[in-house]
Amino acid sequence: MLEKLQAHIRENFPFLENKKLLLATSGGLDSMVMVELFRQLPYEIALAHCNFQLRGVESFEDQKFVENYAEQYAISLFATQFDTTAFAKDYKLSTQVAARDLRYNWFYELIEEEQFDYVLTAHHADDNIETFLINLGRGTGLDGLVGIPSQNDKIIRPLLLFSRIEIADYAAETKLKWREDSSNASNKYLRNKIRHDVVPLLKELNSNFVSTFQNTQKYLQEAQAMVEDAAIMVYQQVAEQNGETIHFDLLQLKRLPNYKSYLYHWLKEFGFTAWNDIYDLVESQSGKQVLSTDYRLIKDRDTLLLVPMLESSSHEEFFIEKEVQEVKIPLKLSISKVTDRTTSSNTTIFVDENKLVYPLVLKKWQEGDVFQPFGMKGKTKKLSKLFKDEKLSVVDKENIWILWSADTIVWVVGLRQDERFKIENNTEHILKLEIQ
């Protein structure tokens, strides 16, 4: 087993040479075999043990066992204790998810604080089978069927090529001691039910089930790689990023026979889960949107817009007192007194200061807001009509700020000045307003 592991590392993890490794060690069979193997290899290792305090005295006996092993072989040990039950309750998580989050967060803290290069965990081939079957029962996509990754950022899983039987046989041959987790015998958890009842039956039906399953996952991983390549090529044809907003061209997208699959592939990393709503959005009217925790997907004519969730309220107001020369929030605006008007633009306007009522107010537009466009004396126009004429997207409209004087619009900032504040022949005090 040691030689097989060495060959596996040389082929798949050659970068581990001369690296500082932290081995996640529960004291159970799998992790103790991993520690014993790496103890015999030329690597700088240390152990990390999490006491989740879920099994009373047993949990502390596990910790003591690992401490004794580390002391016996003069291996550095990092141990911590978690109130897993309280954490799970506070964050409304299952016990298993809470333990996983606590464990990996702590591992990354140790990487940062103690300058470790990688953390090694003892997941093996049977763990992969169990995970596959769990995800299969949940109706997962391809991502849930390709198996536990052998590397995920700083987490390395070097034992995935070994079966549970191989690991147990090695422990027996070397007379290795380990701690038995009593919860593993219970069928309380789905994984244990699969481990005790389903996987043994599959192995009974096919004596080579582990190896054939590994081949199947290899084919699935190859298929996933092809999907990734296709998704990248199609993305370049239908998507365009502008700042924090991604635009998906629906006319191009709908020409694809499997456009729903592409949408799923592109959007899953943004936390979306309401897939039927997203697919319906393609044929919805403009303005409809689907939300994830941090993002919005908005239908805007022939485009889907992916944008971060708004941080500011549409009802926020920012006041500008007289003599203020610079505004930094919510946008950068300079205000200066000038003697002559030069060329106006979308970003620069000139107004008659005597017509202003202070404080001026910057706020977002509301449905029904009306202004008098510059050059259209006596004629008013709804902002919604202006935005439609300018072909602004839903997101563009949300980002527009309006400068008000009392109950009258001075400037649709960055777009159009109001006629009522323009410079006249008798204007004595001219203000220049410019957005940066």
Side-chain angles (χ1 to χ4, degrees):
M1 188 172 181
L2 182 62
E3 292 178 358
K4 187 176 178 180
L5 177 63
Q6 286 179 294
H8 178 56
I9 292 174
R10 282 195 300 270
E11 181 178 355
N12 298 287
F13 309 111
F15 52 84
L16 292 183
E17 186 176 355
N18 299 321
K19 294 298 188 293
K20 189 177 177 183
L21 308 179
L22 183 66
L23 278 59
T25 313
S26 67
L29 171 64
D30 307 333
S31 66
M32 292 310 299
V33 166
M34 179 180 69
V35 171
E36 187 68 13
L37 289 167
F38 274 87
R39 190 176 63 79
Q40 301 172 64
L41 298 176
Y43 295 103
E44 180 184 354
I45 66 171
L47 311 185
H49 176 79
C50 302
N51 180 349
F52 295 107
Q53 302 188 73
L54 293 172
R55 293 178 290 113
V57 174
E58 271 189 48
S59 294
F60 291 91
E61 290 176 344
D62 291 348
Q63 180 175 339
K64 186 63 177 177
F65 173 81
V66 174
E67 289 171 348
N68 290 340
Y69 181 93
E71 183 178 357
Q72 179 182 352
Y73 293 103
I75 304 174
S76 297
L77 169 66
F78 299 87
T80 190
Q81 297 175 6
F82 297 117
D83 188 343
T84 310
T85 302
F87 181 84
K89 182 178 179 181
D90 289 345
Y91 290 91
K92 296 180 174 57
L93 302 172
S94 71
T95 302
Q96 289 176 309
V97 171
R100 183 191 63 199
D101 289 353
L102 289 167
R103 176 169 67 248
Y104 283 106
N105 288 341
W106 182 57
F107 289 161
Y108 275 97
E109 288 177 12
L110 288 176
I111 287 175
E112 184 72 23
E113 295 170 3
E114 304 295 335
Q115 302 301 302
F116 285 103
D117 295 295
Y118 297 98
V119 174
L120 275 55
T121 70
H123 293 90
H124 50 71
D126 285 68
D127 291 323
N128 237 342
I129 295 171
E130 294 160 11
T131 299
F132 176 93
L133 293 172
I134 290 170
N135 289 337
L136 183 66
R138 290 172 176 168
T140 184
L142 186 58
D143 286 348
L145 303 180
V146 294
I148 302 169
S150 58
Q151 180 178 1
N152 187 1
D153 191 26
K154 296 291 186 179
I155 308 298
I156 305 288
R157 302 177 178 93
L159 301 190
L160 283 175
L161 75 162
F162 298 109
S163 68
R164 180 174 279 113
I165 291 176
E166 288 178 283
I167 290 172
D169 287 347
Y170 177 83
E173 291 169 8
T174 58
K175 296 181 172 54
L176 180 67
K177 294 181 180 180
W178 70 88
R179 290 281 300 171
E180 196 64 59
D181 186 339
S182 61
S183 66
N184 287 337
S186 168
N187 274 359
K188 175 182 176 182
Y189 300 114
L190 174 60
R191 182 176 291 274
N192 284 357
K193 291 180 182 179
I194 291 173
R195 179 179 302 165
H196 297 152
D197 301 331
V198 180
V199 174
L201 179 59
L202 293 172
K203 291 180 179 179
E204 181 183 329
L205 295 171
N206 177 3
S207 59
N208 296 317
F209 178 75
V210 175
S211 61
T212 55
F213 174 79
Q214 288 175 321
N215 286 335
T216 297
Q217 284 214 314
K218 178 183 176 184
Y219 302 144
L220 287 171
Q221 289 163 1
E222 291 171 352
Q224 187 188 42
M226 290 186 0
V227 169
E228 293 280 356
D229 292 341
I232 290 171
M233 288 188 290
V234 174
Y235 182 88
Q236 293 170 344
Q237 297 171 18
V238 304
E240 180 180 347
Q241 184 155 355
N242 183 4
E244 292 187 310
T245 302
I246 299 176
H247 303 248
F248 296 99
D249 185 332
L250 288 179
L251 297 180
Q252 292 277 1
L253 184 69
K254 288 193 288 187
R255 292 192 181 106
L256 303 170
N258 298 308
Y259 73 82
K260 293 180 181 179
S261 297
Y262 286 111
L263 280 176
Y264 172 81
H265 193 87
W266 296 327
L267 297 174
K268 63 186 178 181
E269 65 182 276
F270 296 98
F272 290 99
T273 56
W275 297 110
N276 287 334
D277 292 341
I278 287 176
Y279 304 146
D280 291 343
L281 198 62
V282 172
E283 303 295 343
S284 296
Q285 65 187 49
S286 286
K288 295 287 187 180
Q289 57 183 318
V290 178
L291 308 179
S292 72
T293 303
D294 299 312
Y295 289 87
R296 295 180 297 153
L297 189 67
I298 307 168
K299 172 70 177 293
D300 186 58
R301 302 183 187 90
D302 294 322
T303 306
L304 286 182
L305 303 176
L306 178 66
V307 294
M309 197 68 73
L310 285 175
E311 294 182 1
S312 59
S313 166
S314 60
H315 300 291
E316 281 187 303
E317 297 183 350
F318 299 86
F319 296 92
I320 303 173
E321 301 291 346
K322 192 171 184 178
E323 306 301 334
V324 168
Q325 297 181 343
E326 184 180 24
V327 175
K328 294 183 178 180
I329 297 175
L331 47 77
K332 292 184 179 180
L333 174 68
S334 65
I335 304 171
S336 56
K337 295 181 179 181
V338 296
T339 55
D340 291 305
R341 170 184 170 174
T342 55
T343 304
S344 299
S345 68
N346 285 348
T347 59
T348 304
I349 67 168
F350 297 85
V351 300
D352 187 333
E353 185 178 18
N354 289 341
K355 297 178 181 179
L356 298 176
V357 177
Y358 288 94
L360 305 179
V361 181
L362 275 169
K363 59 183 178 180
K364 292 295 181 69
W365 78 286
Q366 301 291 326
E367 194 67 45
D369 284 347
V370 174
F371 84 125
Q372 192 175 121
F374 190 84
M376 295 177 63
K377 188 172 183 179
K379 295 183 179 181
T380 60
K381 187 173 189 177
K382 285 188 175 182
L383 293 191
S384 57
K385 180 66 167 60
L386 171 69
F387 297 154
K388 184 177 182 180
D389 292 344
E390 295 290 333
K391 294 182 170 57
L392 297 190
S393 71
V394 174
V395 176
D396 291 335
K397 288 187 285 186
E398 289 176 347
N399 290 328
I400 291 288
W401 287 92
I402 311 299
L403 182 66
W404 293 77
S405 169
D407 58 356
T408 306
I409 291 177
V410 178
W411 188 17
V412 182
V413 180
L415 202 61
R416 201 76 176 268
Q417 180 180 349
D418 192 288
E419 167 77 12
R420 289 164 291 190
F421 296 90
K422 72 178 184 179
I423 305 302
E424 307 280 2
N425 291 333
N426 61 348
T427 297
E428 297 179 354
H429 302 287
I430 301 174
L431 278 188
K432 177 182 177 183
L433 285 70
E434 184 174 19
I435 56 173
Q436 305 299 312

